């Protein structure tokens, strides 16, 4: 709706000065190109050298090929728990997500996934994953990020969220993924807290790293 779009556009205005630098850095990794080498002894006959070919000159062929780098895969997971609503935390996290979306969302060599999570919204024991951007969303859903922090904010079962989001990403790609987790830290949900919850988060991160995710916590 209009409020969500206005929130997105306001955040975009706030972060716009940082977009070019990030886009430039990631663009440098996208080095896909085609090449043609003339003067080869084998390959495709160079039609510009038919006379030389008739005269028996050996270097009248061309070689054609392409170089394709691996695509860059980036995932953002935003903590949308109640504690993030204290002060400006959820707003800063939303702006960070908008920044990454604006910088990377339309680059041809980048696959971008953005999710949010909370827990125990309706009943104890549930974890809610909110999809803001992946291959199931359309360009018309661009402003969905403006709704971060506007829906019910409850608990955060972080380990479960990390596992579910990495599983979602793996439905689309098996390539190495840079995973940003935007959170204020402490895991807290129904029957999920203290040292056991911290261990579960550590285990989830280690599982993700074994699955070729590079995890970066922004907290």
């Amino acid at each position: 709706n209009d409020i969500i779009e206005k929130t997105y556009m306001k955040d975009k205005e706030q972060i716009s000065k940082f977009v070019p630098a990030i886009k430039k850095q990631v663009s440098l990794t996208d080095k896909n190109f085609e090449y043609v080498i003339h003067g080869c002894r084998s390959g495709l006959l160079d039609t510009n050298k038919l006379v030389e070919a008739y005269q028996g000159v050996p270097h009248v062929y061309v070689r054609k090929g392409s170089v394709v780098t691996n695509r860059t895969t980036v995932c953002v997971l935003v903590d949308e728990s109640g504690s993030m609503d204290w002060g400006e935390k959820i707003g800063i996290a939303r702006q960070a997500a908008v920044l990454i979306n604006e910088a990377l969302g339309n680059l041809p060599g980048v696959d971008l996934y953005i999710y949010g999570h909370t827990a125990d919204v309706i009943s104890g024991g549930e974890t809610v994953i909110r999809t803001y951007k992946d291959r199931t969303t359309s360009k018309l859903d661009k402003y969905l990020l403006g709704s971060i922090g506007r829906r019910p904010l409850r608990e955060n079962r972080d380990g479960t969220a990390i596992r579910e989001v990495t599983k979602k990403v793996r439905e689309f790609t098996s390539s190495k993924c840079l995973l940003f987790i935007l959170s204020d830290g402490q895991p807290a949900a129904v029957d999920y807290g203290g040292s056991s919850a911290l261990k579960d988060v550590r285990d989830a991160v280690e599982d993700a790293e074994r699955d070729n995710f590079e995890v970066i916590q922004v907290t």
Side-chain angles (χ1 to χ4, degrees):
N1 58 33
D2 289 344
I3 294 176
I4 292 174
E5 182 175 344
K6 287 178 181 177
T7 299
Y8 184 98
M9 295 305 294
K10 183 179 179 180
D11 287 340
K12 179 180 176 181
E13 183 179 354
Q14 292 289 322
I15 55 84
S16 59
K17 62 183 178 181
F18 303 111
V19 169
I22 295 176
K23 185 177 292 187
K24 180 180 179 181
Q25 288 298 318
V26 176
S27 296
L28 293 175
T29 68
D30 185 16
K31 300 183 182 299
N32 301 336
F33 61 90
E34 296 183 350
Y35 63 85
V36 178
I37 302 175
H38 295 272
C40 299
R41 285 180 172 270
S42 62
L44 299 174
L45 179 63
D46 189 341
T47 55
N48 292 320
K49 296 191 174 184
L50 293 178
V51 174
E52 289 93 330
Y54 180 76
Q55 295 173 343
V57 176
H59 301 88
V60 292
Y61 297 93
V62 296
R63 291 285 185 91
K64 297 182 179 181
S66 61
V67 173
V68 180
T69 59
N70 291 330
R71 296 177 64 83
T72 300
T73 303
V74 178
C75 180
V76 181
L77 177 60
V78 182
D79 176 0
E80 294 188 76
S81 61
S83 63
M84 288 288 287
D85 203 26
W86 299 347
E88 300 179 352
K89 289 186 288 186
I90 193 67
I92 293 172
R94 188 181 61 245
Q95 285 186 0
V98 171
L99 170 60
I100 294 173
N101 188 50
E102 286 295 320
L104 309 183
N106 294 318
L107 290 181
V110 176
D111 289 326
L112 179 60
Y113 304 85
I114 304 177
Y115 303 98
H117 75 98
T118 188
D120 309 328
V121 174
I122 299 175
S123 61
E126 64 173 9
T127 297
V128 178
I129 305 296
R130 294 164 175 164
T131 301
Y132 293 106
K133 185 180 183 70
D134 65 14
R135 294 187 191 177
T136 66
T137 59
S138 71
K139 293 181 179 179
L140 298 177
D141 296 321
K142 173 179 179 178
Y143 301 112
L144 280 177
L145 291 174
S147 67
I148 289 178
R150 292 191 173 275
R151 290 178 285 186
L153 307 177
R154 295 292 187 266
E155 311 292 358
N156 52 302
R157 196 171 284 104
D158 303 76
T160 303
I162 292 169
R163 290 187 180 93
E164 288 302 313
V165 163
T166 55
K167 188 187 302 181
K168 277 178 171 287
V169 172
R170 284 292 171 252
E171 291 175 0
F172 303 111
T173 178
S174 60
S175 65
K176 182 175 182 179
C177 179
L178 188 62
L179 173 59
F180 289 96
I181 301 176
L182 310 181
S183 170
D184 61 355
Q186 189 78 7
V190 173
D191 297 326
Y192 191 86
S195 59
S196 62
L198 291 172
K199 181 181 183 303
D200 184 63
V201 175
R202 284 195 298 270
D203 291 346
V205 169
E206 290 174 358
D207 289 343
E209 289 175 341
R210 280 191 289 269
D211 196 19
N212 212 15
F213 285 82
E214 184 173 348
V215 182
I216 297 178
Q217 173 82 9
V218 181
T219 185

